């Protein structure tokens, strides 16, 4: 059987999706106000015409805010936008999604309780779906006092259920200074937070430093490791899971072309791979589309199912949820009557 024939039946997971706060708010408000949402297809066409593929184009992600973010201060809208993202994933066959958010979001009073409200709303229709939240630490070396205060907030939120941390930094395409990030990572790991970092999206830079970070078990992208056997060995040796976002790689042109995507080489080298949407509204993708693209690169149904198993194993969620999901995957997902945790 061809992968595409049974793609819909493969349970899916997405470990790397940004909250796209103002973009989801726009979708919700557009529907309520009876207007068209922001035209992301036109934005992508404009960007592709104005900027060459690669780093320059990539830097424009998140540059358009179709509605002011303050409109999302309202609790009901806050829950609604997280629920919309989760619902999009559930409708595309996801059983699990991790949503990464900026500092001002996760340190908001009662954040995890609002996040769980959104999850509960979606689970009323899609009982399989589970979701967790991650905080993004940006430029850990720039303003130590501010970063420490943010780290304190994340560690407090960990006590309420925040699942993990994602590191973003500059420079991204050449080696960054990881010293301040390692220091923070030690604190986060001690607080029980899962750790991932963006690296290896546009070059091989920062992959080795990320892989050696205290407590890190995953890397966002990391695809350029395929060009270097020593990096592949390092990832396998340390059991690092990669969060691969094919549409994102394709649109931003971080590779010569999609057909040459190193996904099959990473799998062949024994690297644990998962699939991700990254920025689904801006890039117009779904997790189902990402699985379909992987099938297009020659991945079999069994390999696609492995990507989901890899994701659950590497998930920043509780052991109870993890074993429940792995049990459901082993059962083929046929028994929807079993209690869900
Ligand atoms: Zn990302």
């Amino acid at each position: 059987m061809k992968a595409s024939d049974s793609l819909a039946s493969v349970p899916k997971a997405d470990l790397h999706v940004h909250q796209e706060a103002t973009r989801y708010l726009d979708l919700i408000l557009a529907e309520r106000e009876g207007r068209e949402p922001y035209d992301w297809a036109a934005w992508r066409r404009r960007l592709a015409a104005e900027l060459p593929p690669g780093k320059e184009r990539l830097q424009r992600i998140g540059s358009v805010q179709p509605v002011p973010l303050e409109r999302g201060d309202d609790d009901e809208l806050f829950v609604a936008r997280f629920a919309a993202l989760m619902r999009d994933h559930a409708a595309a066959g996801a059983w699990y999604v991790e949503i990464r958010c900026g500092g001002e979001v996760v340190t908001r009073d009662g954040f995890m309780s609002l996040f769980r409200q959104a999850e509960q709303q979606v689970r009323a229709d899609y009982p399989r779906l589970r979701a967790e939240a991650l905080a993004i630490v940006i430029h850990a070396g720039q303003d130590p006092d501010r970063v420490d205060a943010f780290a304190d907030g994340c560690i407090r939120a960990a006590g309420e259920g925040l699942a993990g941390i994602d590191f973003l930094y500059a420079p991204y395409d050449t080696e960054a200074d990881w010293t301040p990030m390692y220091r923070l990572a030690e604190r986060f790991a001690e607080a029980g937070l899962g750790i991932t970092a963006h690296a290896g999206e546009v070059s091989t830079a920062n992959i080795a430093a990320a892989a050696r970070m205290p407590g890190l078990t995953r890397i966002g992208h990391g695809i350029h490791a395929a060009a270097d056997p020593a990096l592949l060995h390092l990832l396998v040796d340390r059991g690092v899971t990669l969060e691969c976002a094919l549409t994102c790689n394709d649109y931003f042109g971080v590779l010569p072309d999609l057909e040459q995507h190193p996904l099959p080489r990473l799998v062949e080298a024994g690297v644990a791979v998962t699939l991700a949407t990254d920025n689904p509204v801006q890039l117009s993708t779904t997790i189902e589309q990402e699985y379909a693209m992987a099938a297009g690169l020659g991945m079999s149904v069994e390999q696609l199912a492995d990507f989901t198993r890899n994701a659950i194993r590497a998930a920043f969620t509780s052991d109870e949820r993890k074993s429940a999901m792995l049990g459901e995957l082993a059962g083929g997902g046929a028994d929807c009557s079993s209690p869900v945790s």
Side-chain angles (χ1 to χ4, degrees), residues 16 18 100 198 221 278-279:
H16 187 137
H18 296 260
R100 41 193 85 190
H198 278 70
H221 303 287
D278 207 344
N279 289 280

Side-chain angles (χ1 to χ4, degrees), residues 239-322:
V240 174
T241 298
L242 297 188
E243 308 153 359
C244 293
L246 302 177
T247 297
C248 178
N249 294 158
D250 187 35
Y251 177 72
F252 290 112
V254 297
L255 297 159
D257 72 276
L258 187 67
E259 270 104 77
Q260 303 299 314
H261 197 284
L263 183 79
R265 289 205 296 288
L266 293 166
V267 172
E268 205 176 310
V271 177
V273 166
T274 66
L275 299 174
T277 55
D278 207 344
N279 289 280
V281 177
Q282 290 163 92
L283 299 174
S284 184
T285 187
T286 64
I287 193 63
E288 185 168 28
Q289 185 177 311
E290 298 303 314
Y291 276 66
M293 287 170 82
L297 291 170
M299 298 291 107
S300 67
V301 169
E302 190 46 43
Q303 285 171 316
L304 296 177
D306 279 345
F307 292 161
T308 306
R309 274 188 286 273
N310 291 344
I312 304 303
R313 286 192 200 106
F316 297 157
T317 191
S318 67
D319 289 344
E320 290 76 24
R321 280 188 155 198
K322 231 182 233 202

Side-chain angles (χ1 to χ4, degrees), residues 24-25 28 32 74-86 114 118 121-122:
Y24 265 104
L25 266 179
I28 292 163
R32 292 184 185 180
D74 172 79
D75 280 357
E76 189 270 329
L77 272 174
F78 190 81
V79 170
R81 72 172 174 81
F82 278 103
L85 188 158
M86 292 175 198
L114 296 171
Q121 281 180 14
V122 177

